[in-house]
């Protein structure tokens, strides 16, 4: 039996309406961003369960620029990249440093920050005097060895705490595992708790995180130890990650980040949360 023109028009209208509803439904889905919620001051969980910090506030600004509804969810760092690629969320944002290894499995946006790292120790058993000088490290092995020689001497026979899976973990393993015991933690905050309890002698982490921890009353017995180590050795900087196939989403985020850098928004939020400018 052959359909009449009117029936075909009705069927076509129904089909187009269905496609329009599906498209509108897809557009209504919020962009889901995973963060740790415990890496102060980059991201933290506020009383009542809401997320705050440098990155959640920056993400709110970026989503407004993109005209996109966004939803922040909490995810432990050690499963964040796997969760992204499994489709649990659309974006990961957790002070994630771009590295060649991570670029093999994650499509990174342009960086929105670049920060050095340092050691933290107890004031009762300081390793080295705190230095606010920044030593920029490249892939020059002799320069690296010279820069860390005093640190290796101070940490010989000690126990160093480090968050697992960070850009700093392989550095600590490579240059300190032969002279110190390395203890890995799921979260940087857990390493600080063990340092407080005297179970480890030092923690190596991002300077901005360290500043936040040392600013707390309960951590008044902790101190910076040695110089700040930064530069290309840590990669291109901190950026958001999306799945390899989501090139359109990356492009939208790149445009929004560049605009937020250009008009000073990133600098303003950086100075609010870090008391310093970490723009790349």
């Amino acid at each position: 039996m052959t359909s009449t023109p009117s029936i075909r028009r009705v069927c076509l209208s129904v089909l187009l309406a269905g496609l329009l509803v599906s498209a509108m439904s897809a557009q209504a889905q919020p962009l889901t961003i995973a963060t740790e919620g415990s890496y102060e001051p980059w991201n933290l969980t506020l009383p009542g369960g809401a997320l705050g910090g440098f990155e959640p506030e920056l993400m709110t600004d970026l989503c407004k620029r993109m005209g996109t509804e966004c939803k922040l969810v909490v995810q432990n760092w050690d499963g964040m990249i796997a969760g992204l690629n499994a489709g649990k969320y659309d974006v990961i944002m957790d002070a994630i440093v771009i590295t060649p290894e991570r670029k093999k499995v994650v499509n990174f946006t342009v960086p929105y920050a670049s920060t050095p790292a340092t050691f933290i120790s107890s004031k009762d058993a300081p390793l080295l005097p705190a230095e606010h000088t920044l030593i920029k490290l490249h892939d020059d092995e002799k320069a690296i060895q010279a820069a860390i020689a005093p640190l290796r001497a101070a940490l010989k026979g000690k126990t160093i705490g480090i968050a697992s899976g960070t850009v700093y973990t392989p550095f600590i393993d490579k240059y300190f595992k032969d002279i110190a015991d390395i203890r890995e933690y799921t979260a940087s905050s857990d390493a600080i708790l063990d340092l407080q309890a005297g179970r480890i002698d030092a923690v190596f982490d991002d300077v901005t995180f360290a500043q936040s921890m040392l600013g707390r009353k309960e951590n008044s017995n902790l101190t910076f130890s040695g110089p700040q180590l930064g530069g290309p050795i840590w990669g291109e900087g901190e950026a958001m990650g999306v799945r390899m196939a989501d090139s359109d989403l990356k492009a939208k985020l790149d445009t929004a980040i560049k605009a937020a850098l250009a008009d000073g928004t990133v600098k303003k939020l950086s100075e609010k949360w870090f008391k310093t400018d970490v723009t790349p």
Side-chain angles (χ1 to χ4, degrees):
M1 182 184 293
T2 303
S3 300
T4 65
S6 60
I7 293 176
R8 288 199 296 270
R9 284 196 293 271
V10 170
C11 291
L12 180 59
S13 297
V14 171
L15 176 61
L16 290 173
L19 291 173
L20 180 61
V21 170
S22 297
M24 291 176 64
S25 176
Q27 288 179 351
Q29 292 296 320
L31 191 67
T32 306
I33 303 100
T35 193
E36 196 173 345
S38 61
Y39 194 63
E40 277 187 56
W42 294 82
N43 53 78
L44 63 146
T45 303
L46 302 169
L51 291 169
F54 170 70
E55 289 176 317
E57 288 197 7
L58 176 58
M59 196 69 228
T60 297
D61 177 85
L62 299 179
C63 289
K64 286 180 180 178
R65 293 176 192 269
M66 295 187 294
T68 304
E69 181 185 353
C70 292
K71 177 184 177 182
L72 286 167
V73 297
V74 174
Q75 166 68 51
N76 287 338
W77 162 246
D78 57 356
M80 195 169 287
I81 292 176
L84 172 70
N85 287 324
K88 290 177 63 177
Y89 26 78
D90 307 300
V91 182
I92 52 177
M93 187 182 197
D94 194 42
I96 305 170
V97 177
I98 303 170
T99 65
E101 293 76 19
R102 290 173 181 166
K103 287 171 79 171
K104 294 175 182 177
V105 293
V106 174
N107 199 0
F108 282 106
T109 64
V110 294
Y112 53 83
S114 181
T115 56
T118 192
F119 281 98
I120 311 167
S121 64
S122 169
K123 288 180 180 177
D124 297 331
L127 301 171
L128 287 171
E131 297 178 28
H132 296 292
T133 54
L134 172 64
I135 299 176
K136 289 192 175 183
L137 302 177
H138 299 259
D139 292 329
D140 184 332
E141 193 64 27
K142 288 184 178 179
I144 294 173
Q145 291 288 356
I148 68 172
L151 290 166
R152 280 176 54 84
L155 286 158
K156 187 174 182 179
K158 306 293 185 180
T159 301
I160 303 170
I162 184 80
S164 62
T166 70
V167 69
Y168 309 123
T169 311
F171 174 83
I172 292 296
D173 283 342
K174 180 177 180 179
Y175 294 107
F176 294 91
K177 199 169 187 177
D178 63 323
I179 53 95
D181 180 35
I182 311 302
R183 191 170 299 175
E184 294 190 16
Y185 294 83
T186 301
S188 296
S189 53
D190 293 335
I192 294 293
L193 289 175
D194 266 9
L195 179 61
Q196 273 280 20
R199 288 187 282 268
I200 59 178
D201 301 294
V203 171
F204 189 71
D205 214 306
D206 183 271
V207 165
T208 55
F209 171 76
Q211 286 175 332
S212 176
M213 291 294 101
L214 297 186
R216 292 183 175 186
K217 185 178 180 180
E218 65 268 27
N219 293 329
S220 60
N221 65 317
L222 303 181
T223 183
F224 288 108
S225 188
Q228 297 180 10
L229 304 178
I233 192 171
W234 304 136
E236 301 170 40
E238 286 86 356
M240 282 173 274
V242 301
R243 286 179 288 275
M244 287 294 194
D246 292 342
S247 55
D248 289 346
L249 175 57
K250 169 185 155 46
K252 291 178 181 178
L253 287 166
D254 282 348
T255 299
I257 293 169
K258 289 175 183 177
L261 286 167
D263 69 11
T265 298
V266 177
K267 181 180 179 181
K268 180 181 177 181
L269 291 175
S270 169
E271 290 173 341
K272 172 184 176 180
W273 287 101
F274 303 133
K275 312 305 179 189
T276 188
D277 183 7
V278 301
T279 53

